[in-house]
Amino acid sequence: MFPEPPTPGPPAPDTPPDSSRISHSPACTCSPDGSGQHAAQASVSVVSTPSAVPPWALAAIVLASSFLVFSCCFCLYRKHCGRRLGKKSQAQAQVHLQEVKELGQSYIDKVQPEVEELEPVPSGLGQPTAEKHELGRLQYSLDYDFQSGQLIVGILRAEGLAALDLGGSSDPYVRVYLLPDKRRRHETKVHRQTLNPHFGETFAFKVPYVELGGRVLVMAVYDFDRFSRNDAIGEVRVPMSSVDLGRPVQAWRELQAAPREEQEKLGDICFSLRYVPTAGKLTVIVLEAKNLKKMDVGGLSDPYVKVHLLQGGKKMRKKKTTIKKNTLNPYYNEAFSFEVPCDQVQKVQVELTVLDYDKLGKNEAIGRVAVGTAAGGAGLRHWADMLANPRRPIAQWHSLRPPDRARLLPIP
């Protein structure tokens, strides 16, 4: 029998081997004894490594990382400082509020009632009667110029005037007029803090000599009180029919108590004040007015309000409301704000003037009101209430005063 031929193995694949796979390559080794042994040796093909990162990319990564770290540190620092500044500003705000409240309370304690607010006290038993010399006396001179038809009145000096200010002094001036005409009048200069002023001023009234006998010369001494009502110290009345004007006259006369003048009703105005110490902001809201004086021919007015911020007697800022046509009871509700630092709030005043608008002529003032530390009565009370209640609007009614009585002196 013949031996069978060896069976052929499976044919080798035509596809090349995959380098990513593990392939087994059989190898035939011959031993010295001639015996052949087949050993399976594993050969592993390694995938190629990627190329290196370029330097510019590394630099960009480093810069971006540094910027991110710096931003985080800066944000944490700002947050920490913001908390500290917030606490500090809150503490300062509390200090400002407390200072303004104490300031307002101190002014409330100093508020004195105005003359209109005082009730007349009936004279009775046990009340001393005021003597004439307690008011002081006035020296004056009279002469008549027949060529020009003028009466020459000289206000020379005063002595022993009554002290009407809290400091035990007065700021006197003299108002001179000839009754029954009170519109044509003259006033001397104001002399500060003295009870024995030397005026040395002369005034002329053009009056025909034949009419002079029916006139009465009035020389009234007043104490000037900045914004508030000027208080009358006393007056001297000289009937011209009792004076011989053939030669110059010079005399001393004791001051008599001046009769209380009937105030002309000019109307009332309502406005609110609000002060925020931390922001240094003063807000004035003009609300309304009522019973204003009739200024037009038809018995009405066209009122509007001017608001002035004054410091040291000078007008620093000016605002004004809209014009309300044909009414004596206008309603505004208009707000105006002023920048007033906390350390300047004692040195400023607010003045409100109600005017009648006129298309053809000059706008005529109806009356005015002033509030501030230099004011008296209701004006000082309103200002003190505002300071004692910071951040809150404080509304109050005020009676209008004649414009010529709201003369201003700077705060010393």
Side-chain angles (χ1 to χ4, degrees):
M1 294 183 64
F2 298 95
E4 295 182 359
T7 305
D14 295 335
T15 61
D18 189 355
S19 59
S20 63
R21 298 180 182 180
I22 300 178
S23 60
H24 301 275
S25 302
C28 181
T29 59
C30 296
S31 60
D33 57 357
S35 63
Q37 293 180 355
H38 295 278
Q41 183 180 3
S43 62
V44 180
S45 60
V46 181
V47 181
S48 60
T49 60
S51 60
V53 180
W56 63 267
L58 290 175
I61 293 173
V62 171
L63 289 176
S65 302
S66 302
F67 180 75
L68 182 61
V69 173
F70 176 77
S71 300
C72 294
C73 294
F74 182 73
C75 291
L76 292 175
Y77 175 76
R78 284 290 301 273
K79 186 176 181 180
H80 178 67
C81 292
R83 289 179 179 177
R84 293 181 61 185
L85 291 176
K87 294 180 180 179
K88 186 176 181 180
S89 61
Q90 289 179 0
Q92 291 179 349
Q94 294 295 333
V95 172
H96 288 166
L97 286 176
Q98 187 64 26
E99 289 179 354
V100 172
K101 287 182 179 179
E102 294 176 356
L103 179 64
Q105 190 62 42
S106 66
Y107 281 118
I108 290 177
D109 297 337
K110 295 179 181 178
V111 173
Q112 299 292 329
E114 296 186 12
V115 177
E116 290 84 350
E117 299 174 352
L118 296 176
E119 296 182 358
V121 179
S123 59
L125 297 176
Q127 295 182 349
T129 305
E131 299 180 2
K132 294 181 180 181
H133 68 271
E134 291 181 351
L135 301 178
R137 59 177 188 160
L138 178 69
Q139 185 184 32
Y140 65 94
S141 65
L142 297 176
D143 193 10
Y144 190 81
D145 188 348
F146 289 90
Q147 292 184 354
S148 60
Q150 290 183 336
L151 174 67
I152 309 300
V153 181
I155 305 298
L156 304 181
R157 57 178 177 159
E159 288 183 353
L161 296 179
L164 299 186
D165 294 342
L166 296 178
S169 185
S170 293
D171 302 324
Y173 72 97
V174 182
R175 182 179 299 171
V176 186
Y177 53 92
L178 274 173
L179 292 176
D181 187 6
K182 298 180 62 174
R183 293 176 300 175
R184 297 174 55 189
R185 64 188 183 187
H186 300 280
E187 293 181 355
T188 66
K189 296 179 181 179
V190 178
H191 291 253
R192 294 293 303 273
Q193 298 181 357
T194 178
L195 301 179
N196 303 285
H198 289 258
F199 298 103
E201 300 184 42
T202 58
F203 308 101
F205 295 90
K206 190 171 182 62
V207 182
Y209 184 76
V210 295
E211 299 180 4
L212 199 57
R215 299 294 189 92
V216 176
L217 177 65
V218 179
M219 295 168 285
V221 183
Y222 286 87
D223 173 43
F224 182 75
D225 284 336
R226 292 194 180 97
F227 287 111
S228 64
R229 177 186 175 89
N230 300 328
D231 300 324
I233 299 176
E235 68 178 18
V236 173
R237 296 198 174 208
V238 180
M240 298 310 299
S241 59
S242 63
V243 180
D244 182 10
L245 294 176
R247 58 181 181 177
V249 176
Q250 183 172 318
W252 282 92
R253 291 282 298 271
E254 298 288 338
L255 294 178
Q256 307 292 326
R260 186 172 178 178
E261 299 180 1
E262 189 67 25
Q263 291 294 321
E264 182 182 14
K265 298 298 183 181
L266 302 177
D268 304 294
I269 184 171
C270 181
F271 59 92
S272 71
L273 299 173
R274 179 176 182 262
Y275 184 64
V276 182
T278 54
K281 186 177 181 181
L282 172 64
T283 303
V284 181
I285 303 180
V286 182
L287 298 173
E288 59 179 315
K290 64 180 181 180
N291 303 324
L292 295 180
K293 180 183 176 182
K294 302 174 183 178
M295 304 295 289
D296 296 342
V297 178
L300 295 174
S301 296
D302 301 325
Y304 69 98
V305 182
K306 275 187 180 180
V307 183
H308 286 98
L309 179 70
L310 302 98
Q311 183 174 3
K314 297 181 180 179
K315 296 179 179 179
M316 308 299 295
R317 297 286 186 274
K318 179 180 70 174
K319 311 276 188 178
K320 63 180 181 179
T321 67
T322 56
I323 301 172
K324 303 300 180 180
K325 295 287 188 179
N326 300 324
T327 179
L328 300 178
N329 302 281
Y331 179 78
Y332 298 101
N333 196 22
E334 300 181 26
F336 307 99
S337 297
F338 302 95
E339 298 294 331
V340 180
C342 190
D343 57 347
Q344 299 291 322
V345 72
Q346 300 183 66
K347 303 178 182 179
V348 299
Q349 300 89 34
V350 176
E351 184 180 80
L352 293 88
T353 306
V354 182
L355 299 99
D356 175 46
Y357 174 74
D358 194 344
K359 288 184 179 180
L360 303 178
K362 181 181 179 181
N363 299 336
E364 189 174 358
I366 300 175
R368 66 181 51 162
V369 172
V371 293
T373 58
L380 178 58
R381 185 186 302 112
H382 196 177
W383 193 263
D385 289 341
M386 174 197 72
L387 295 178
N389 300 275
R391 298 181 177 179
R392 290 179 52 192
I394 306 297
Q396 185 173 319
W397 282 95
H398 293 263
S399 297
L400 295 176
R401 299 186 175 278
D404 59 346
R405 290 190 177 176
R407 298 187 303 174
L408 178 66
L409 279 181
I411 299 177

